[in-house]
Amino acid sequence: MVPTWHYLALAAALFTVGVIGVLTRRNIIIIFMSLELILNAVNINLIAFARHWGSVDGHIFAIFIITVAAAEAAVGLGILIAFFRNRDTVNADEIDLLKW
Amino acid sequence: MTFYEVTFYVLAVVALLSAILVITCRNPVHSAIFLVLTLLSVALIFLQLQAEFMAAVQIIVYIGGIMVLFLFVIMLVNLDVAVRQAPYNRQRWIAGFAALVLLAEFTLFIYQGRDWAKLPPAAAEAVQPNTELIGRALFQNYILPFEVASLLLLVAMVGAVLMAKQR
């Protein structure tokens, strides 16, 4: 039997990889993919605890997280297409209109 | 080691390695393919945790929906210039250091809680029959969040169409 904390360790590692991707990459598409990694790490935690406590509530939360991830991906990629049409780039550090 | 344990560790290694490849590949198409591999491993881990409904939802929504959307956008956006530019931004060392501090905190807390989190998982029958229990919970206890989620999806759909529309 795999102890629950191994699932938590896997989720923490995936979360950290996602955070590194969000913070260091310049391409917005890859930043969005890293966000999906982060949300997936949270889902692993929720499902592992649902299994741990024998409750189905964690699955419900994971379903809502997937819903929000789908909405976020659709709106984010829509914004990305609009941005690319105006500025001809997909680099996050060139979106600096509000930068001081 | 039982088959159950071997599957988990193999899937965990595959998920982690392809996640690292997602954030290190220069070409976004390759990143997307490795992200599909990660999501598939996570779906199989869900299956191994006896969450078969969540595994199916993960494959249908993530791999079938979101990743196809990603690949469409990658093909709509001209990436030849971006592939040749520097893939990492100027703050990468500070950001990497901050992420390692985060990982150290996670490691500390999981290490402290390892005895607590080692109690044997509940009996296998507790979350079975999975789909039926999720359906009951979703349409009885969680009916209001469910409706709010449907509204959220509607707003996201309208927003995405409005953003991507040609003017």
Side-chain angles (χ1 to χ4, degrees), chain A residues 9 19-21 26 30 35 41 44 61 71 83 96-97 99:
Chain A
V19 168
I20 292 175
R26 294 175 76 204
I30 294 182
L35 276 177
I44 293 179
F61 273 83
F83 176 72
D96 53 1
L97 201 63
K99 209 169 176 178

Short mmCIF file of all heavy atoms in Angstrom, two decimals, chain A residues 9 19-21 26 30 35 41 44 61 71 83 96-97 99:
data_model
loop_
_atom_site.label_atom_id
_atom_site.label_comp_id
_atom_site.label_asym_id
_atom_site.label_seq_id
_atom_site.Cartn_x
_atom_site.Cartn_y
_atom_site.Cartn_z
N ALA A 9 3.81 14.17 -1.85
CA ALA A 9 5.14 14.56 -2.33
C ALA A 9 5.13 14.71 -3.85
O ALA A 9 5.68 15.69 -4.39
CB ALA A 9 6.17 13.51 -1.91
N VAL A 19 5.22 26.02 -10.91
CA VAL A 19 5.56 27.38 -10.46
C VAL A 19 6.81 27.87 -11.17
O VAL A 19 6.87 29.01 -11.64
CB VAL A 19 5.74 27.41 -8.93
CG1 VAL A 19 6.38 28.71 -8.49
CG2 VAL A 19 4.42 27.25 -8.24
N ILE A 20 7.82 26.98 -11.30
CA ILE A 20 9.04 27.37 -12.02
C ILE A 20 8.69 27.75 -13.46
O ILE A 20 9.18 28.75 -13.99
CB ILE A 20 10.08 26.23 -11.97
CG1 ILE A 20 10.59 26.06 -10.55
CG2 ILE A 20 11.26 26.54 -12.89
CD1 ILE A 20 11.52 24.88 -10.40
N GLY A 21 7.82 26.94 -14.10
CA GLY A 21 7.43 27.25 -15.47
C GLY A 21 6.75 28.60 -15.58
O GLY A 21 7.06 29.39 -16.47
N ARG A 26 9.05 32.71 -21.02
CA ARG A 26 8.57 33.95 -21.63
C ARG A 26 7.34 33.73 -22.48
O ARG A 26 6.56 34.64 -22.70
CB ARG A 26 9.66 34.54 -22.51
CG ARG A 26 10.86 35.01 -21.76
CD ARG A 26 11.93 35.48 -22.71
NE ARG A 26 11.62 36.79 -23.26
CZ ARG A 26 12.10 37.23 -24.41
NH1 ARG A 26 12.89 36.47 -25.12
NH2 ARG A 26 11.79 38.42 -24.86
N ILE A 30 3.21 28.48 -22.91
CA ILE A 30 3.83 27.55 -21.97
C ILE A 30 3.49 27.94 -20.54
O ILE A 30 3.35 27.08 -19.66
CB ILE A 30 5.34 27.47 -22.24
CG1 ILE A 30 5.53 26.85 -23.62
CG2 ILE A 30 6.05 26.67 -21.19
CD1 ILE A 30 6.92 26.64 -24.04
N LEU A 35 0.30 26.46 -15.69
CA LEU A 35 -0.86 26.63 -14.81
C LEU A 35 -1.68 25.35 -14.75
O LEU A 35 -2.15 24.95 -13.66
CB LEU A 35 -1.75 27.76 -15.33
CG LEU A 35 -1.35 29.17 -14.93
CD1 LEU A 35 -2.28 30.16 -15.59
CD2 LEU A 35 -1.44 29.31 -13.44
N ALA A 41 -1.70 19.23 -9.93
CA ALA A 41 -1.07 18.85 -8.67
C ALA A 41 -2.08 18.96 -7.53
O ALA A 41 -2.17 18.07 -6.67
CB ALA A 41 0.14 19.74 -8.40
N ILE A 44 -4.43 16.02 -7.61
CA ILE A 44 -3.85 14.79 -7.03
C ILE A 44 -4.02 14.80 -5.51
O ILE A 44 -4.43 13.80 -4.91
CB ILE A 44 -2.37 14.64 -7.41
CG1 ILE A 44 -2.21 14.42 -8.89
CG2 ILE A 44 -1.74 13.49 -6.66
CD1 ILE A 44 -0.78 14.30 -9.32
N PHE A 61 -14.68 18.52 -5.37
CA PHE A 61 -13.82 19.70 -5.48
C PHE A 61 -12.95 19.60 -6.73
O PHE A 61 -12.75 20.59 -7.44
CB PHE A 61 -12.95 19.84 -4.23
CG PHE A 61 -13.61 20.60 -3.14
CD1 PHE A 61 -14.49 19.97 -2.28
CD2 PHE A 61 -13.37 21.94 -2.99
CE1 PHE A 61 -15.11 20.66 -1.28
CE2 PHE A 61 -13.99 22.65 -1.99
CZ PHE A 61 -14.87 22.01 -1.13
N ALA A 71 -12.54 26.80 -18.07
CA ALA A 71 -12.95 28.18 -18.31
C ALA A 71 -11.73 29.08 -18.46
O ALA A 71 -11.66 29.92 -19.37
CB ALA A 71 -13.84 28.67 -17.17
N PHE A 83 -4.33 39.34 -28.20
CA PHE A 83 -3.05 40.02 -27.98
C PHE A 83 -2.11 39.81 -29.15
O PHE A 83 -1.45 40.75 -29.62
CB PHE A 83 -2.42 39.49 -26.69
CG PHE A 83 -1.06 40.04 -26.42
CD1 PHE A 83 -0.92 41.37 -26.03
CD2 PHE A 83 0.06 39.27 -26.56
CE1 PHE A 83 0.32 41.89 -25.79
CE2 PHE A 83 1.31 39.80 -26.33
CZ PHE A 83 1.44 41.11 -25.94
N ASP A 96 4.04 45.09 -21.27
CA ASP A 96 4.55 45.93 -20.18
C ASP A 96 3.95 47.32 -20.21
O ASP A 96 4.56 48.29 -19.76
CB ASP A 96 6.08 46.02 -20.26
CG ASP A 96 6.55 46.47 -21.65
OD1 ASP A 96 5.67 46.72 -22.49
OD2 ASP A 96 7.76 46.58 -21.86
N LEU A 97 2.72 47.44 -20.72
CA LEU A 97 2.10 48.77 -20.82
C LEU A 97 1.87 49.37 -19.44
O LEU A 97 2.00 50.57 -19.24
CB LEU A 97 0.76 48.64 -21.56
CG LEU A 97 0.21 49.91 -22.18
CD1 LEU A 97 1.16 50.41 -23.24
CD2 LEU A 97 -1.13 49.64 -22.78
N LYS A 99 3.65 48.71 -16.80
CA LYS A 99 4.86 48.62 -15.98
C LYS A 99 5.36 50.01 -15.67
O LYS A 99 5.38 50.89 -16.52
CB LYS A 99 5.92 47.82 -16.74
CG LYS A 99 6.86 47.07 -15.86
CD LYS A 99 7.67 46.13 -16.73
CE LYS A 99 8.71 45.41 -15.94
NZ LYS A 99 9.44 44.48 -16.80
#
